[in-house]
Amino acid sequence: MRRALIGFGLAIVAFVSYPLFFARFPVTRDIPWATFLLFVVATTLLVSGVRQAKKKLWPVVLATLGIAIFAFSIIGVTVLTRMLPASHNAPKVGDRAPEFALRDTAGQVVTLSSLTASAPRGVVLIFYRGYW
Amino acid sequence: MAISVDEPQVSADLCRKAHYTFTFLSDPNTEAIRRYDLLHKDAGEHGHDIARPAEFLIDKSGVVRWEKITEDLRVRARPEEMLAAAKSLP
């Protein structure tokens, strides 16, 4: 029955390991294999804990919760983070990049054409969600 | 350069904290974001519209030479991808 407890603890660790640690590195972020490996070990411990402690309820509760966290994580990385607009009309390679005039951090208005004209070779344009 | 709906002051704070020295532009009314068809409706705080993540490399004449419009929030362009694309510029 200690297995169920360790397994549940490991499921929690696996869940928080992604945002707190593995998401920092592209190799463990883009495909979260390290997080899922922890979840697989956690699930194995939970199932074996349930088998060991026959007729007890709490290992079953822990196993159900632990596996629910695992399932939520799978849905998170396969569905939730992929809920993005299609952006079919975004500029394609070879298109002229649409002009814009926006304020920089000093409040000065900056145009795309002024930036490309003054750049030695080109400009990288990064759109991000904000609220950092 | 980076574009988001954050106000100039918010981006200035971010640059100071993260030691960014490149240009940050504010698009609170999502003008440029909509022109690039990158609007993510109601996805920001308090249901505000924001930009979905996307990266473009634009040459001196204003033509798009490389782009990455991710299908997953977690998967963004990597610096080495951008540098490889930038090396192909004349």
Side-chain angles (χ1 to χ4, degrees):
Chain A
M1 53 191 151
R2 264 181 53 201
R3 281 186 204 170
L5 208 55
I6 296 167
F8 183 71
L10 192 59
I12 302 278
V13 169
F15 185 69
V16 298
S17 72
Y18 189 76
L20 294 183
F21 185 70
F22 289 126
R24 290 190 211 163
F25 314 101
V27 264
T28 48
R29 178 191 61 212
D30 294 2
I31 299 167
W33 61 270
T35 305
F36 282 172
L37 197 63
L38 288 175
F39 268 125
V40 168
V41 176
T43 305
T44 311
L45 285 168
L46 283 167
V47 169
S48 124
V50 169
R51 280 197 183 152
Q52 215 179 29
K54 290 183 188 109
K55 291 178 185 170
K56 279 191 180 154
L57 185 63
W58 66 267
V60 179
V61 173
L62 287 183
T64 309
L65 284 174
I67 291 165
I69 296 169
F70 190 8
F72 176 76
S73 304
I74 292 174
I75 295 167
V77 299
T78 53
V79 180
L80 300 182
T81 61
R82 298 178 72 94
M83 284 168 56
L84 289 170
S87 297
H88 290 308
N89 294 316
K92 310 266 185 305
V93 171
D95 287 354
R96 181 154 294 279
E99 175 71 322
F100 52 77
L102 297 171
R103 283 184 304 148
D104 66 10
T105 50
Q108 301 292 313
V109 173
V110 174
T111 62
L112 176 64
S113 51
S114 69
L115 283 167
T116 50
S118 60
R121 286 164 78 185
V123 167
V124 172
L125 190 52
I126 301 166
F127 286 88
Y128 69 107
R129 292 163 55 84
Y131 303 106
W132 276 6
Chain B
M1 114 193 67
I3 297 181
S4 77
V5 294
D6 286 346
E7 293 289 345
Q9 190 52 52
V10 177
S11 298
D13 291 343
L14 170 64
C15 291
R16 204 171 310 117
K17 269 190 290 184
H19 306 290
Y20 292 143
T21 53
F22 54 94
T23 306
F24 273 69
L25 300 181
S26 293
D27 192 9
N29 302 321
T30 64
E31 292 162 39
I33 292 165
R34 271 179 284 132
R35 209 165 294 161
Y36 280 71
D37 193 25
L38 300 172
L39 191 74
H40 194 169
K41 272 195 93 59
D42 312 327
E45 283 175 9
H46 311 297
H48 283 300
D49 296 344
I50 59 170
R52 51 105 84 229
E55 299 87 16
F56 300 87
L57 178 68
I58 297 160
D59 69 14
K60 268 186 81 68
S61 67
V63 172
V64 177
R65 289 304 187 96
W66 171 89
E67 61 165 33
K68 172 134 187 177
I69 299 174
T70 185
E71 289 178 352
D72 191 325
L73 279 182
R74 300 175 303 109
V75 184
R76 312 280 174 95
R78 297 189 188 181
E80 57 269 26
E81 281 180 80
M82 282 189 196
L83 286 172
K87 281 195 179 124
S88 70
L89 287 181

